[in-house]
Structure formats: structure tokens, C-alpha cells
Amino acid sequence: MLYTTLPVPYTVGMDSVSSSGGGAVPGPAADAGRIVPFFAALCLFLSAVEYAIPKPLPFLRLGLANLPLLLALPKLRIRHILLLVLLKTVGQGIISGTLFSYVSAFSAAGSCASAAGMILVYYVFIWNRSKPLLGFTGVSLTGALCSNGAQLLLARYLLFGSATRYIAPVLLCTGTVTGLLLGLFASQFAARSRWYASLEGAL
């Protein structure tokens, strides 16, 4: 099933408690200024992990670096999500050494399409609903397929032409499987993680 309860954003706040030394340390509530750098670092880490995995096509992505974007949706404003997309795209290019190549264009197109699809689905089917119509799995699958669609479109007009139809099944199957697995992981993580539950939404 694609339905899993997804947390809905709520009002941002700043909370701190005093440490034994008298200094202020972050409390359970964390604002966007603390969440964004963490998710950005996680994007870069997962990008490095993904780069180390052998791939049949240079622009083929498993989508691991989309996990922070998926988890950030209920916690951050749209502008923060877009910032994460920018950092993720640039970070992937730097880590893989393809920042100024066509591979980076594929990465940017896939990341932007994925983020747009996930944001749209989240706000249409989940946000502000007492009974969300989708969960992390549905959002993740949407992002994966939007990313694949954008990459196939670029491949059709920039690289392979009509031969794109031969790589489309590989790309779409990979995107579906990884999107499903990432969505299931995000669902379990959100349900079990006390840290994630303690994050106070910035929306």
C-alpha cells in the first residue's frame, strides 16, 4: 500500500535548555536554520555513497540523495526544500567531478523534476489533511518517476535520440524499485525515530 501516515508541518519555534555548564544547547524543537544544514550534509554524504556504486549509465542515479528531501518535506518550507535541491545538485557534481558536464545537467533536471513532483503531491494529497491520501511511499515513487521522466526527455533530445527507448525500461524499473524502497525506509524511520519526531516543522 502507498498509504502511510505522514507528519504534517506545524509552527516553527526556538527552544533551548541549559547544559550543565550553563551554555544554551538546542532543545527538542529545531528551527530551519538547524535542520537545513543537517539535511544538506546528509544529501552530500548519500551522494558520495551513490557515486561509489557501479552504474551502467553515467547519469543513472539510484536516488539515495533524495531521501533527505523526502524526510524534509513535512519539516521545512518550500524555499528550504529548493535550497536543498540546489546544494544536492552542486554537491553531486563536485563529488563526481561532473559539475560542468552533461551529467550535471541530467542530475539537475532529475533533481528539480523530482522535487517538484514530491512537493506537488505532498501539498495536494497530504498537507493539512486529517487523513492523508498518500504517505512517504507514494511521494517517493512520484519523485523517482518524475526524475526518470526528465532524464529520459534530456536523453532523447541531447544524447540518444530515438534510441532512448532502449534505456527507458532500465531507468524506469530502477526508479520504481529505489523509489519504493526509499519510501518504505522513510516511513519506518519517521515512525520510529524520536529525533525526527522532535523536529518542529518550519511551515
Side-chain angles (χ1 to χ4, degrees):
M1 286 184 67
L2 300 186
Y3 173 80
T4 305
T5 303
L6 199 61
V8 176
Y10 43 94
T11 307
V12 67
M14 296 284 290
D15 187 20
S16 63
V17 294
S18 295
S19 65
S20 57
V25 298
D31 67 354
R34 299 167 186 169
I35 302 173
V36 171
F38 172 80
F39 280 127
L42 188 56
C43 279
L44 295 180
F45 171 74
L46 292 176
S47 294
V49 172
E50 188 168 356
Y51 176 67
I53 299 174
K55 298 175 285 292
L57 295 170
F59 57 83
L60 179 63
R61 305 289 184 188
L62 297 179
L64 297 181
N66 281 337
L67 180 60
L69 298 177
L70 186 61
L71 292 172
L73 268 175
K75 304 297 183 180
L76 298 173
R77 295 178 184 270
I78 292 178
R79 65 174 180 266
H80 298 132
I81 300 296
L82 297 179
L83 176 60
L84 283 177
V85 172
L86 176 62
L87 294 172
K88 169 180 173 286
T89 302
V90 174
Q92 281 181 328
I94 293 174
I95 290 170
S96 62
T98 58
L99 184 58
F100 299 107
S101 72
Y102 76 92
V103 176
S104 188
F106 277 84
S107 176
S111 294
C112 291
S114 176
M118 291 193 296
I119 289 171
L120 178 63
V121 166
Y122 178 78
Y123 281 97
V124 170
F125 296 104
I126 298 169
W127 185 69
N128 240 11
R129 287 180 178 270
S130 56
K131 294 183 178 179
L133 302 178
L134 288 176
F136 276 117
T137 307
V139 176
S140 179
L141 280 172
T142 300
L145 294 177
C146 285
S147 176
N148 290 157
Q151 290 178 336
L152 287 172
L153 192 63
L154 279 184
R156 170 68 175 81
Y157 290 103
L158 294 183
L159 287 179
F160 303 118
S162 60
T164 301
R165 65 179 180 272
Y166 298 116
I167 66 170
V170 176
L171 213 59
L172 292 174
C173 287
T174 302
T176 300
V177 171
T178 57
L180 179 63
L181 292 177
L182 286 176
L184 292 173
F185 176 83
S187 298
Q188 291 299 313
F189 180 81
R192 297 171 182 270
S193 172
R194 294 183 180 179
W195 169 81
Y196 186 75
S198 74
L199 295 181
E200 189 167 328
L203 225 156

